[in-house]
Amino acid sequence: MGKRILARISGKRIFRYVAISLAGLFFLFLADGLGFLVRTDTGIYDFFFRLRGSVRPSSDIVIAAIDEKSLERFGRWPISRHYYAALLEKVTGAGAVGFDVIMTEPSEGDALLSGAIRRHGKVILPVYLDDDLDVISAIRSFDPLAIGHLHALPGIDGIVREAYHTINCRGEDIPSFSSAIYEVFSGRKLERRRRLPGKEDTLSGNIFQFDRMLINYYGPPGTFPYISMSDIIDGAYPSSFFSGKAVLVGFTAQGVVDRFMTPFSYNRDRMPGIEVHANLLNNLLKRSQIRLIDTRIKHLFVLLFSIVLFLVFIRNTEKFSAVTFLFSILLILASSFFLFTRFLFWSEPFIFCLASGFVFVTTYVYRLDEAARKLDSRYSAIVSLPSMGGRKEADDPVAERGLLTFLSADGINGRIQKLLSIEDRYEEKLQAVIDEKTMKLSEALGMVKTMSSEVVLRLTTAAESKDENTGRHISRIGLYVEELSRRLGMPGDFIEEISFSSAMHDVGKIGIPDRILLKPGSLTPAEFEVMKTHTVIGERILSGSAHPMIQMSARIALCHHERWNGTGYPEGLKGEAIPLEARIVMICDIYEALRSRRPYKTPLGHAESFRIITEGDGKISPSDFDPGILEAFIKLNMFFEEIFNEYSDDAV
């Protein structure tokens, strides 16, 4: 089937299809570059961490926690600095000791701490940037071996996923706290990139940040074991325990310092800053940071992936393409998770999912466009028949225009008018030769009327195909109104016209955006206001016709949501101000809606639907309906159930 479609497409249209596809991918790449896909990608990124679970961290990293026990033992914050000196005496064999404690003001015990820092020789102290972006350091008397900045970079959602290992402040490079500990502990210099800063690297003015790294968190808070600082000072751990280890000293007590959200914070549990630095240090020591795939390489793979999917979708049936599309989404996510957990590569999979969806939709639209052109060609062939006046295809205002006119109000109205014109010409022909070929012309006219009704029904089905409704839904509505009109004693012409016209009651839904029409949940008030406009759109599509059936269709499309008590829309008509045909279709449409499955509701059985219409449920009231029509419905309700069961797609 796909090969036959390709064979029918002209070179000009192939070029147009390819151009549209490339333009769509270009805008997709542009959206990716501008950051519009970041929110979804970061959600997937965080989910992958939680799906992977905790990983055992390095045993070379120890967190000396200033916890509630330590504060109770040493006094509330700020604790005396001679305790820090005592801590250093207990960890003399440590390969590096980093204090995530800001000590910018002189205090009692500074002399003891200063001496302990010099004796240990591998102490790293923090610096930070204040609100004026000035670098604030510890008091000079401490003279640590190295310093490092504590700057963290939360995302727009407050989650810390990355860090910059170098900040350049007014020409001076300042390493990150974790990279300074890494260099002291490992004895190796971290390879830092030197390049001109871009906009994304600028913090403010003359302050820039370099050496971005995505943090590979080893688990939720507490993954790195905490050792209470008070236990260390009290000798609960021998000095040999800390020999050759990196000791990170910082607060874990609640309410003392800020805590940070991480990808594991799905229960809103935040991680102390000292453990964030422990994760960064572990990444540097084990070279286990998350690596981001280069954007140019990613876009190249997206392009190649899209080309492959395009060829698969265009050469196979819609059903096979839909299954392949779903499989491609699963494959993208599974591959991304495998790269993430096995090779520590982050591929930002959302753009691949969007590209797959875009290619699926565009190839589907191409198929619809070719089908619409084929239908246009059949229309033109009918018009050009000698018995139809021999009108040429070039004179046809809607021939060979494809999907755009097929799914537009003017296109549908034009095709309806064309069919009616065909019918009128047949009637004139019949009148001219009535004496000679009465029977033959009567048969021809009947065939054209049948064709007109069928094509209008199919056009209406095409319009409703955007919604969850099916052709059987339209057929059931026609049968309901026929039985109800007959029960009300309406004349035969009225019954025939309303049975035909009711099929187009929801034709206006073609003008409702898919995001509202196909939304799986309840509509917001603003969305419902947009949805209500389908009545006006339907009337606008069908208005202006000289044919009584189309005129009745326009009245039904506009008024089939009006209520007898005046609570309906769009005009709030009341009582007999509502056209009779709209009052009949309204109760049939409500019964059909209650019985049918929707993305946001399950179908109801006949008994429950009958109870709601006759007794009400808070949304529907018996006062909504014309009393005479409601009485006829009550008497005919078993016929409604029989019709629904016989023609049902999904009956309860």
Side-chain angles (χ1 to χ4, degrees):
M1 179 177 179
K3 294 179 180 178
R4 293 198 299 272
I5 290 176
L6 286 174
R8 290 199 305 267
I9 301 176
S10 68
K12 183 177 179 180
R13 292 209 298 275
I14 289 177
F15 177 79
R16 185 179 67 184
Y17 293 161
V18 172
I20 292 173
S21 300
L22 291 177
L25 289 176
F26 170 78
F27 283 110
L28 192 60
F29 294 157
L30 183 62
D32 182 44
L34 294 175
F36 290 116
L37 312 184
V38 170
R39 194 66 177 255
T40 303
D41 272 325
T42 53
I44 299 172
Y45 182 84
D46 296 345
F47 174 71
F48 279 2
F49 268 113
R50 298 194 290 269
L51 186 61
R52 183 204 68 184
S54 298
V55 177
R56 183 187 297 275
S58 172
S59 60
D60 292 335
I61 300 174
V62 175
I63 295 179
I66 306 175
D67 52 9
E68 288 82 357
K69 180 179 180 181
S70 299
L71 293 178
E72 184 178 352
R73 166 80 164 74
F74 305 136
R76 304 307 297 175
W77 169 256
I79 64 177
S80 176
R81 291 175 186 168
H82 77 270
Y83 290 115
Y84 299 137
L87 174 68
L88 287 174
E89 298 298 338
K90 295 292 185 178
V91 295
T92 54
V97 180
F99 281 88
D100 183 11
V101 181
I102 303 297
M103 294 178 282
T104 59
E105 299 292 335
S107 176
E108 189 177 334
D110 285 351
L112 287 174
L113 179 56
S114 180
I117 290 174
R118 285 194 301 273
R119 286 190 297 275
H120 191 284
K122 293 185 177 181
V123 175
I124 300 92
L125 293 181
V127 299
Y128 73 98
L129 303 178
D130 64 9
D131 293 338
D132 297 324
L133 297 178
D134 291 325
V135 178
I136 307 301
S137 305
I139 59 177
R140 293 185 178 181
S141 63
F142 290 154
D143 191 23
L145 179 61
I147 60 170
H149 71 79
L150 297 174
H151 180 63
L153 190 66
I156 58 175
D157 54 1
I159 295 177
V160 178
R161 301 182 180 88
E162 60 185 25
Y164 286 84
H165 284 305
T166 307
I167 288 181
N168 184 279
C169 182
R170 300 178 179 89
E172 178 184 357
D173 284 348
I174 304 173
S176 67
F177 183 63
S178 55
S179 66
I181 298 174
Y182 165 78
E183 291 181 345
V184 171
F185 181 74
S186 66
R188 300 189 299 269
K189 287 290 185 181
L190 179 67
E191 182 181 351
R192 301 181 189 272
R193 296 182 179 89
R194 289 290 183 268
R195 60 182 177 82
L196 293 175
K199 290 183 180 179
E200 71 278 6
D201 302 313
T202 303
L203 283 176
S204 177
N206 294 321
I207 300 180
F208 307 99
Q209 51 191 4
F210 302 99
D211 302 311
R212 178 189 181 210
M213 189 179 85
L214 295 180
I215 306 172
N216 181 11
Y217 285 98
Y218 290 84
T223 300
F224 285 81
Y226 301 163
I227 299 176
S228 176
M229 178 177 162
S230 64
D231 288 342
I232 297 173
I233 292 176
D234 291 340
Y237 294 85
S239 297
S240 59
F241 175 81
F242 302 98
S243 180
K245 289 182 168 52
V247 179
L248 279 65
V249 184
F251 286 93
T252 61
Q254 294 283 353
V256 178
V257 292
D258 291 336
R259 289 173 170 246
F260 299 94
M261 291 178 63
T262 73
F264 287 94
S265 298
Y266 51 95
N267 289 326
R268 317 304 291 179
D269 47 338
R270 296 171 180 257
M271 181 176 287
I274 192 64
E275 190 170 359
V276 174
H277 294 301
N279 279 276
L280 282 163
L281 177 59
N282 208 149
N283 290 172
L284 293 171
L285 290 173
K286 300 298 183 182
R287 300 181 183 275
S288 59
Q289 69 271 19
I290 303 298
R291 297 167 181 85
L292 183 64
I293 295 178
D294 184 86
T295 300
R296 291 168 296 183
I297 296 176
K298 178 182 67 176
H299 287 176
L300 176 61
F301 274 106
V302 170
L303 179 60
L304 295 175
F305 182 67
S306 300
I307 292 172
V308 171
L309 284 181
F310 181 86
L311 294 175
V312 171
F313 292 156
I314 203 68
R315 291 176 178 273
N316 291 282
T317 64
E318 288 88 347
K319 185 182 223 179
F320 181 86
S321 298
V323 173
T324 303
F325 164 65
L326 295 176
F327 177 77
S328 71
I329 299 299
L330 294 176
L331 180 64
I332 290 166
L333 295 176
S335 300
S336 297
F337 182 70
F338 178 74
L339 288 173
F340 183 79
T341 55
R342 182 66 178 84
F343 299 103
L344 302 178
F345 275 110
W346 173 235
S347 60
E348 297 176 310
F350 187 47
I351 188 173
F352 287 89
C353 296
L354 288 180
S356 178
F358 172 74
V359 172
F360 176 73
V361 171
T362 50
T363 52
Y364 185 73
V365 170
Y366 298 160
R367 293 174 183 273
L368 287 180
D369 185 56
E370 290 305 311
R373 290 178 184 278
K374 184 177 179 181
L375 181 60
D376 287 335
S377 178
R378 294 293 177 89
Y379 283 153
S380 299
I382 294 174
V383 171
S384 63
L385 291 173
S387 59
M388 304 296 291
R391 189 176 182 181
K392 294 182 179 180
E393 183 176 334
D395 299 328
D396 192 346
V398 295
E400 291 294 340
R401 294 190 184 177
L403 186 63
L404 292 179
T405 58
F406 189 78
L407 294 181
S408 67
D410 290 339
I412 292 178
N413 196 45
R415 284 171 172 78
I416 293 174
Q417 294 299 332
K418 181 192 294 185
L419 292 175
L420 294 177
S421 176
I422 293 172
E423 184 177 353
D424 290 341
R425 272 179 269 165
Y426 258 115
E427 289 177 348
E428 293 173 2
K429 184 82 171 178
L430 178 66
Q431 188 64 38
V433 293
I434 189 70
D435 295 331
E436 181 180 354
K437 298 182 178 180
T438 301
M439 183 62 67
K440 289 185 178 181
L441 287 176
S442 298
E443 293 175 355
L445 178 60
M447 181 177 64
V448 171
K449 285 184 177 181
T450 301
M451 181 181 67
S452 301
S453 300
E454 181 178 351
V455 175
V456 169
L457 179 62
R458 292 182 181 274
L459 289 172
T460 305
T461 303
E464 293 209 4
S465 69
K466 291 181 64 181
D467 198 355
E468 64 278 354
N469 294 332
T470 66
R472 292 200 167 206
H473 158 74
I474 298 170
S475 300
R476 291 193 297 268
I477 291 290
L479 292 170
Y480 297 152
V481 299
E482 180 180 351
E483 289 294 333
L484 204 53
S485 299
R486 186 175 289 111
R487 181 73 186 187
L488 292 168
M490 305 308 297
D493 289 345
F494 178 92
I495 295 173
E496 180 180 357
E497 288 180 5
I498 194 173
S499 299
F500 169 84
S501 301
S502 64
M504 290 180 280
H505 69 285
D506 274 339
V507 72
K509 287 185 177 179
I510 198 169
I512 304 301
D514 287 354
R515 62 182 176 80
I516 296 176
L517 187 64
L518 305 180
K519 183 175 180 181
S522 300
L523 299 179
T524 65
E527 290 170 338
F528 185 62
E529 289 300 315
V530 174
M531 177 63 81
K532 291 197 293 187
T533 63
H534 81 275
T535 56
V536 179
I537 295 171
E539 193 272 343
R540 191 182 305 132
I541 292 173
L542 299 169
S543 63
S545 173
H547 199 284
M549 287 186 178
I550 304 302
Q551 293 172 357
M552 177 181 283
S553 298
R555 294 193 297 272
I556 291 173
L558 179 65
C559 300
H560 72 282
H561 281 289
E562 300 286 2
R563 302 292 177 93
W564 180 261
N565 55 18
T567 61
Y569 64 86
E571 298 178 355
L573 299 179
K574 186 175 182 179
E576 294 186 353
I578 306 169
L580 175 60
E581 54 268 24
R583 284 179 262 154
I584 294 173
V585 171
M586 186 264 285
I587 194 170
C588 297
D589 194 35
I590 289 177
Y591 176 80
E592 177 70 6
L594 292 171
R595 293 297 314 273
S596 300
R597 184 181 303 278
R598 295 291 186 268
Y600 52 84
K601 63 174 283 294
T602 56
L604 300 180
H606 172 76
E608 180 63 11
S609 302
F610 177 81
R611 185 195 65 77
I612 291 174
I613 291 175
T614 56
E615 299 177 14
D617 68 346
K619 294 182 180 179
I620 298 173
S621 169
S623 64
D624 294 341
F625 310 107
D626 181 328
I629 295 175
L630 179 60
E631 181 180 357
F633 168 78
I634 293 172
K635 294 178 180 179
L636 284 174
N637 79 89
M638 297 308 296
F639 287 95
F640 274 60
E641 183 180 20
E642 291 176 5
I643 290 170
F644 186 89
N645 290 337
E646 183 175 353
Y647 295 92
S648 175
D649 293 316
D650 187 16
V652 173

